[in-house]
Amino acid sequence: MSARTPSSEPAEATHRSGFACFVGRPNAGKSTLTNALVGQKIAITSNRPQTTRHTVRGIVHRPDAQLVLVDTPGLHKPRTLLGQRLNDVVRATWAEVDVIGFCLPADQKLGPGDRFIVKELAAIKRTPKVAIITKTDLVDSKALAEQLIAVDQLGKELGFEWAEIVPVSAVGDQQVGLLADLLVPLLPEGPLLYPEGDLTDEPEQVMVAELIREAALEGVRDELPHSIAVVVEEMLPREDRPADKPLLDIHAFVYIERPSQKGIVIGPQGKRLKEVGIKSRKQIEALLGTPVFLDLHVKVAKDWQRDPRQLRKLGF
């Protein structure tokens, strides 16, 4: 038995560390919320549903805790092999985290998709669940109150109590800090899981590919979002550069499913692809803190979403 008595030295403040994940329909504001909590862009955001394909871990550092955010794809009824794999990723993640945040946009009525997700959550008995009403800047207080009541009722209907129900606006930076305050006590006590300055454990190449994909998704026709995948072939410092003027060469391929989509991505006289390059290069330079030369090429990988071999090759 230890010789220390409770009164022999001051009690140290407990430090908590653990994993939280945000779930919800596609486009429920999960990635924007992750970025707001971390304080830097690590998850790609887009107004197209199903943009997140990788499980991005954002790390929130606080004096009393380290909160590791696992961002999952939106759970949905799958129509392709890719869709099934994304759903498997979501369920595997739920089984491993310490707390689950269910995201519901303030400006959209509770729908069958939300019920489907909350029903799945109800089956996970031990993990505390927090309901997060996102995008509160888009509604008035009456609509917000109705949404808070609706999500509370849904939990009761399915036989569980939410640990917390929190309205937030990631864009307006309202109650984001409060959300972190409420998630921390739900984490187990423990030491740091990642070094102080780390914001994510995603490999840089994956993050660079995601930034290129985000830029490529902007402004394309509605049928394209799922058809685009990006693979960074190599990232190498340019040789023979003076130490104070480094340059990173990045060679990447934008994959689409059909030859007819090539023209959409490249645009007239290559204008769109050039814009994608300029926009993503700025984001990549901000992320990596170094000047970048970005070499982009568009390739067709026929029906890759339905082909297990190609899915593996493209990182799924």
Side-chain angles (χ1 to χ4, degrees), residues 13 49 66 71 81 92 314:
Q66 192 174 65
D71 185 32
L81 182 60
L314 297 177

Side-chain angles (χ1 to χ4, degrees), residues 5-225:
T5 60
S7 57
S8 63
E9 46 187 272
E12 274 185 46
T14 54
H15 185 277
R16 295 180 181 274
S17 56
F19 295 84
C21 83
F22 295 145
V23 301
R25 273 184 286 158
N27 208 13
K30 301 181 292 291
S31 296
T32 309
L33 189 56
T34 297
N35 291 338
L37 280 160
V38 175
Q40 187 175 322
K41 180 169 189 157
I42 53 157
I44 81 163
T45 55
S46 160
N47 56 8
R48 308 214 167 278
Q50 275 313 105
T51 44
T52 305
R53 289 189 185 148
H54 292 278
T55 304
V56 176
R57 288 176 170 80
I59 303 163
V60 182
H61 298 273
R62 297 166 62 102
D64 59 335
Q66 192 174 65
L67 172 66
V68 185
L69 300 170
V70 184
D71 185 32
T72 57
L75 196 73
H76 61 298
K77 289 214 163 74
R79 289 194 289 276
T80 62
L81 182 60
L82 173 65
Q84 284 169 23
R85 292 220 175 149
L86 293 175
N87 277 357
D88 291 344
V89 167
V90 178
R91 291 196 183 93
T93 305
W94 292 4
E96 291 164 4
V97 296
D98 300 298
V99 56
I100 298 171
F102 167 65
C103 295
L104 175 71
D107 63 332
Q108 293 169 31
K109 285 268 180 277
L110 258 173
D114 300 306
R115 286 177 178 279
F116 170 67
I117 292 167
V118 176
K119 203 170 174 183
E120 296 245 342
L121 290 182
I124 303 166
K125 298 293 181 209
R126 286 200 305 272
T127 311
K129 293 164 275 288
V130 173
I132 304 163
I133 310 299
T134 60
K135 309 185 186 186
T136 57
D137 51 302
L138 300 179
V139 297
D140 61 21
S141 55
K142 183 173 178 286
L144 178 58
E146 285 168 5
Q147 195 73 314
L148 293 168
I149 292 164
V151 76
D152 182 41
Q153 285 299 116
L154 183 57
K156 289 195 170 85
E157 240 173 77
L158 294 167
F160 73 91
E161 282 278 341
W162 299 102
E164 302 281 354
I165 301 176
V166 197
V168 300
S169 165
V171 174
D173 195 22
Q174 291 163 340
Q175 306 228 104
V176 174
L178 172 69
L179 175 62
D181 292 344
L182 295 171
L183 291 173
V184 164
L186 300 172
L187 302 177
E189 290 180 20
L192 291 178
L193 299 168
Y194 293 92
E196 277 292 345
D198 287 11
L199 297 178
T200 179
D201 69 353
E202 275 283 27
E204 283 180 346
Q205 251 168 274
V206 172
M207 294 179 72
V208 166
E210 287 286 271
L211 289 172
I212 296 168
R213 197 165 75 90
E214 178 178 37
L217 280 172
E218 260 186 40
V220 293
R221 278 188 229 152
D222 289 353
E223 69 269 22
L224 237 62

